[in-house]
Amino acid sequence: MAPMTDAFSAASVADPMIPRVARVVRRKREIADVVTLEIEGGAFDFAPGQFNMLTAFGVGEAAISVSGDPANRTRLIHTIRAVGAVSRALKELHVGEPIGLRGPFGRGWPMREAEGRDVIVVAGGLGLAPLRPALYRLFAEREKYGRILLLFGARSPADILFRDELEAWRGRLDIEVEATVDHARGEWCGNVGVVTTLLSRAQFDAANALAMLCGPEIMMRFVANALLERGVAQERIYLSMERNMKCAIGWCGHCQFGPVFICRDGPVFPYSQLRGLIGKKEI
Amino acid sequence: MIESIERIVQEHRFFAGMDAGFVALVSGCAKNARFDPGQYLFHEGDSADWFFLLRNGSVAIELRDPARGAVTVQTLHEGELCGLSWLVPPYRWTYDARAIEQVRAIAVDAACLRRKSEADPRLGYDMMKRFMPPLVERLQAARMQMIDIYGAHD
Ligand SMILES: Cc1cc2nc3c(=O)[nH]c(=O)nc-3n(C[C@H](O)[C@H](O)[C@H](O)COP(=O)(O)OP(=O)(O)OC[C@H]3O[C@@H](n4cnc5c(N)ncnc54)[C@H](O)[C@@H]3O)c2cc1C
Ligand code: FES
């Protein structure tokens, strides 16, 4: 009899609702309640900004963006924050344990459209995770872009995700990295204030800039408004949206957001498409 | 000396486009100031006799909490305004302002500027229009910080 892994893999070709089984090969605690899992079990192709449905067996499935390097096709990296039953179970997975996987799903960041432009990447909190594959791609193909700015906001210094990597990027001369926190005690010497304050000091060519935003919706709304005020076209301000997912393939309607399905048409959308919807209490 | 402070005032982002006559009036109340890292520009409860327009360096706005010590709620940088309490009675600082690094600033004598604004409401209105945007921005920022947007919410 074929091993269970193969049976699942074969089935996943036929039925996109059946997860294949992969294995956790590395687990890293990032900050409180957030871990990064590295997964093996096949070749993984994805575009920056796409997500997978991850299963904690016996508990359920959750949509989780890929946070690793798209150039690495043998190992899949996801960064997960424990907020409920599924994400908590995923966070507790240990090295060697199986994990279910469907995907990748959705449309990612507009990497091609960003070419030849100044790129402003604005991340809030865990929003840095879905943007990290785009950053790896931008850095790998640095010559294709104008200025690259990474503006990152977190709740406090202890909540800064991928801190070592941010430090390393900050040391590069060909990108600008600024971080800010909402509150800090004496030991923090960096910026304090909402992420929009970083934007007001940032230098870029608004007429030829493209922005990628990921974070809490309210933060993206304020950042988008600040970018519009600076003269960035609404068609070139991209946001990654989150809604509850069930099927992730446009069947169930769970993730419907006005006329679009987040799973199929997004999660990345230009602001021009969301403008009338985002911020509304109910759609 | 007066001439050079006029030029500095005129070139500061905060006074961009200001009428030359008003620049002269403001400059008459202004002087240069310098603060070493760690030095306080002012303390909570003190009388708000001056406000500062930052030319270089950064300033931390701190609130003192007996349980947690000093909590920084905002940092201010080159080109920004430090101090709004001078505008509204009883003209007392409601927070501490600490230089994070070497700071150079234009210090404006608040009582002097209030007097001139009373005497010439056009100057007062011009100043209000310049102070209102940072005031509103800080109010919005405080609201965002208050709702803790990055926290996990049920
Ligand atoms: C396209 C997409 C990409 C995503 N990428 C990631 C990712 O890379 N990493 C990651 O950790 N999560 C990501 N999420 C969010 C993740 O899917 C949800 O947090 C997850 O579904 C929670 O499932 P749960 O069963 O653990 O919690 P639930 O039982 O669904 O929720 C438990 C509680 O947590 C609250 N909650 C749910 N989601 C969030 C949230 N995102 N932030 C704060 N509170 C929340 C709920 O309101 C509820 O009160 C993504 C979501 C989408 C749609
Ligand atoms: S999750 Fe089912 S339609 Fe999007």
Side-chain angles (χ1 to χ4, degrees):
Chain A
M1 199 176 113
M4 195 172 90
T5 314
D6 289 343
F8 268 96
S9 305
S12 68
V13 176
D15 186 344
M17 291 303 288
I18 298 179
R20 54 187 169 134
V21 180
R23 223 157 268 284
V24 177
V25 291
R26 191 159 177 264
R27 179 177 187 277
K28 180 179 181 232
R29 183 184 177 275
E30 301 283 359
I31 50 176
D33 284 337
V34 177
V35 293
T36 292
L37 297 182
E38 295 187 21
I39 295 162
E40 276 182 3
F44 304 111
D45 252 332
F46 70 95
Q50 283 193 306
F51 68 95
N52 283 311
M53 295 301 289
L54 297 186
T55 307
F57 289 109
V59 186
E61 259 191 329
I64 306 289
S65 302
V66 188
S67 70
D69 189 343
N72 182 352
R73 299 185 62 247
T74 56
R75 204 170 257 204
L76 198 55
I77 299 181
H78 285 284
T79 302
I80 302 156
R81 176 197 224 164
V83 294
V86 177
S87 48
R88 208 175 300 131
L90 289 169
K91 189 202 137 208
E92 294 307 322
L93 286 178
H94 291 288
V95 170
E97 288 188 303
I99 183 170
L101 176 69
R102 292 195 292 128
F105 297 120
R107 292 175 199 217
W109 300 107
M111 306 309 299
R112 186 50 74 72
E113 200 194 335
E115 288 179 15
R117 301 184 189 280
D118 285 1
V119 185
I120 310 154
V121 177
V122 189
L126 206 68
L128 188 56
L131 280 164
R132 196 168 64 158
L135 290 164
Y136 288 137
R137 175 72 60 81
L138 290 170
F139 300 161
E141 302 177 342
R142 180 66 191 88
E143 69 291 346
K144 290 190 180 168
Y145 310 95
R147 281 169 182 259
I148 298 178
L149 286 87
L150 168 59
L151 311 178
F152 174 63
R155 186 194 210 177
S156 76
D159 295 304
I160 294 180
L161 194 63
F162 309 138
R163 196 172 186 151
D164 296 345
E165 225 167 358
L166 278 174
E167 281 298 323
W169 292 340
R170 198 203 273 272
R172 287 176 61 142
L173 297 174
D174 58 349
I175 49 179
E176 286 156 62
V177 179
E178 289 284 349
T180 188
V181 297
D182 270 1
H183 314 278
R185 310 272 274 284
E187 64 273 20
W188 169 256
C189 303
N191 285 294
V192 180
V194 292
V195 75
T196 43
T197 59
L198 296 180
L199 201 59
S200 60
R201 300 203 299 276
Q203 307 272 327
F204 53 84
D205 174 12
N208 191 35
L210 181 143
M212 303 181 190
L213 280 43
C214 189
E217 241 171 78
I218 184 167
M219 167 238 146
M220 292 195 287
R221 231 160 64 209
F222 276 89
V223 171
N225 282 334
L227 286 163
L228 288 171
E229 248 169 63
R230 288 283 298 266
V232 180
Q234 51 174 314
E235 300 77 24
R236 287 204 293 276
I237 301 172
Y238 286 85
L239 288 66
S240 184
M241 300 293 292
E242 276 192 16
R243 284 292 181 276
N244 267 344
M245 297 282 169
K246 280 276 182 257
C247 71
I249 49 176
W251 285 357
C252 71
H254 231 83
C255 68
Q256 189 167 3
F257 187 56
V260 296
F261 287 173
I262 304 281
C263 69
R264 187 193 59 197
D265 308 317
V268 175
F269 295 94
Y271 189 62
S272 48
Q273 202 176 344
L274 300 177
R275 200 167 186 175
L277 301 169
I278 194 169
K280 286 214 174 124
K281 278 196 183 125
E282 295 199 25
I283 295 168
Chain B
M1 184 65 197
I2 293 291
E3 237 176 47
S4 86
I5 199 81
E6 255 193 66
R7 189 179 47 75
I8 293 168
V9 167
Q10 190 156 37
E11 285 173 2
H12 196 278
R13 199 176 81 190
F14 187 75
F15 292 112
M18 194 183 227
D19 173 273
F22 289 168
V23 171
L25 285 171
V26 173
S27 303
C29 302
K31 64 173 189 177
N32 276 309
R34 180 187 286 268
F35 299 90
D36 292 328
Q39 199 182 344
Y40 281 83
L41 282 69
F42 49 78
H43 285 283
E44 179 183 336
D46 288 353
S47 163
D49 298 330
W50 297 86
F51 67 89
F52 303 90
L53 294 152
L54 306 183
R55 297 175 60 202
N56 299 109
S58 304
V59 172
I61 300 300
E62 295 178 344
L63 292 176
R64 232 159 250 289
D65 177 354
R68 286 182 293 182
V71 179
T72 303
V73 292
Q74 185 185 21
T75 48
L76 301 170
H77 307 268
E78 184 182 329
E80 290 185 306
L81 163 73
C82 179
L84 294 161
S85 309
W86 71 277
L87 259 177
V88 189
Y91 311 124
R92 287 203 178 279
W93 299 119
T94 52
Y95 46 81
D96 295 345
R98 177 177 54 86
I100 300 171
E101 50 198 6
Q102 179 81 244
V103 165
R104 286 197 308 145
I106 303 166
V108 181
D109 179 333
C112 166
L113 191 60
R114 284 196 298 259
R115 252 193 330 270
K116 287 182 182 174
S117 297
E118 289 293 344
D120 184 348
R122 285 182 316 129
L123 172 66
Y125 183 55
D126 185 297
M127 292 304 292
M128 277 296 174
K129 281 198 289 190
R130 288 168 197 275
F131 273 86
M132 242 349 125
L135 193 66
V136 170
E137 257 166 48
R138 282 174 209 187
L139 174 65
Q140 279 169 348
R143 284 176 175 159
M144 299 258 272
Q145 287 165 316
M146 188 179 76
I147 61 169
D148 189 15
I149 54 173
Y150 303 120
H153 303 285
D154 290 335

